[in-house]
Amino acid sequence: MSAITYKCPNCDGGLQFDPESGTYACEYCLSKFSKEDLDAVFEEQSVPEETSVEEPAQDEITEEIVEYHCPSCGAEIITSATTAATFCFYCHNPIVLSGRLSGEYLPDGIIPFKITKEEAVEKFHEWIQKKKFIPQGFYSKKQIEKLTGVYFPYWLYNCKTSGSMSGTARDIRVWRVGDIEYTETKTYAIQRAGNIKFHHFPKTALQKAQTAMLKGIFPYEFGALEAFHMGFLSGFQAEKRDIEKDSLTEEVHQQMKEYAKKRMRDTISGHHSFSMQGHTCEIAEEDFKYTLLPVWVLTYRERGNQIYYFAMNGQTGEIVGKLPVDKKKLFGLGAITFAAVFSLMLLGGLAL
């Protein structure tokens, strides 16, 4: 297993990917380098340090911790078994655990961070100001410093479906002539057939419970997908997949068929009723692309180990969150409201 840090050739500081400029920046001497410069630096200066730790087998990946050593200062780095990029707690240099994202685990693509941490913090403040009864600990300076950019692993599914649908539609007309009511029923045989192509249908490739909080930040603009380069991870954290595409195939097929069925059904309109009698759907030209997607994440743990969070799409800025409630603030407002209402009732009673 290799642990890599990209170092600035000018001052030996750690290089980090800068979402705003698309370059690799040194926070110490403020130098910036292009992707081509970074490749040259990596070839000339960075020699991966092999650790003595064995990578856990795929079916054994849980919350197991693994130890590595920082190539810059030698400090021990403790990570979970799916962490692919992190920071050294001692020298603060970004660390890319390249062995986690090589061979069969090499991503096909990546959407780089477009939103900087400064922009993410600003958006967080704008978002939290609109909320009420939030404990100060959730948005304190110390807490906001924990806002972290993380690349999460996803499978992007592509396929072509060919389907058909048949059924019977009915139109009913009712009218009266004198005391007689007439009913006219017209019956139509309906046929539908067509092809639908699905591109970049995302399925999470990570079992951790935290991925459930990311559903609300979709969609991504997949036109910005780039070929994977290890340098994009520098300065961010990243997770390695632990869900394989074979385990998703049956579920994805069902979802594609249901969606294709709905699309064909939606083309049948203008009738009082429709009864479907048959439906087919064939899937072809399918493939999965292993991709890393950017997310800004901030979590907050209350007593009782309840986890609350703020998550933001690192490309589009879409926000989702689960917020704690400050019970003291809520109780205080309730008490003030009760006192005001009670006073008005007393005044009303005296007036009578």
Side-chain angles (χ1 to χ4, degrees), residues 33 44 47 59 72 77 94 137 144 154-155 159 182 200 224 238 240 251 270 282 285 300 324:
F33 304 90
E44 295 176 4
V47 179
D59 58 359
S72 297
I77 305 166
I144 293 175
Y154 279 83
W155 288 107
C159 74
Y182 297 87
H200 304 142
K240 165 193 168 184
E251 179 184 353
E282 299 294 332
E285 300 177 17
Y300 178 78

Side-chain angles (χ1 to χ4, degrees), residues 300-308:
Y300 178 78
R301 186 187 298 271
E302 271 199 335
R303 292 179 180 177
N305 286 331
Q306 178 66 47
I307 299 293
Y308 299 93

Side-chain angles (χ1 to χ4, degrees), residues 313-338:
N313 186 312
Q315 180 198 38
T316 68
E318 189 68 28
I319 292 172
V320 66
K322 178 181 178 182
L323 298 176
V325 174
D326 190 326
K327 296 179 181 178
K328 291 183 179 179
K329 288 184 180 179
L330 188 60
F331 178 78
L333 178 64
I336 292 172
T337 303
F338 174 79

Side-chain angles (χ1 to χ4, degrees), residues 3-5 7 12 47-53 67-78 87-95:
I4 301 172
T5 184
K7 294 184 178 181
D12 211 34
V47 179
E49 176 184 319
E50 297 294 331
T51 72
S52 59
V53 180
E67 177 185 313
Y68 302 93
H69 291 88
C70 174
S72 297
C73 68
E76 293 182 353
I77 305 166
I78 305 297
F87 291 86
C88 173
F89 73 93
Y90 186 77
C91 69
H92 305 293
N93 276 329
I95 306 295

Side-chain angles (χ1 to χ4, degrees), residues 6 15 35 73 89 95 104 112 116 118 130 133 169 193 226 250 260 300 304 348 352:
Y6 294 93
L15 292 174
K35 177 177 175 295
C73 68
F89 73 93
I95 306 295
E104 64 177 306
T116 65
E118 291 74 17
K130 301 175 183 177
F133 312 120
E226 297 203 27
E250 184 177 349
Y300 178 78
L352 292 173

Side-chain angles (χ1 to χ4, degrees), residues 237-255:
Q237 294 191 13
E239 294 284 345
K240 165 193 168 184
R241 77 173 193 256
D242 61 359
I243 296 177
E244 295 306 310
K245 59 186 178 183
D246 292 344
S247 65
L248 299 173
T249 302
E250 184 177 349
E251 179 184 353
V252 170
H253 282 183
Q254 185 62 31
Q255 290 176 314

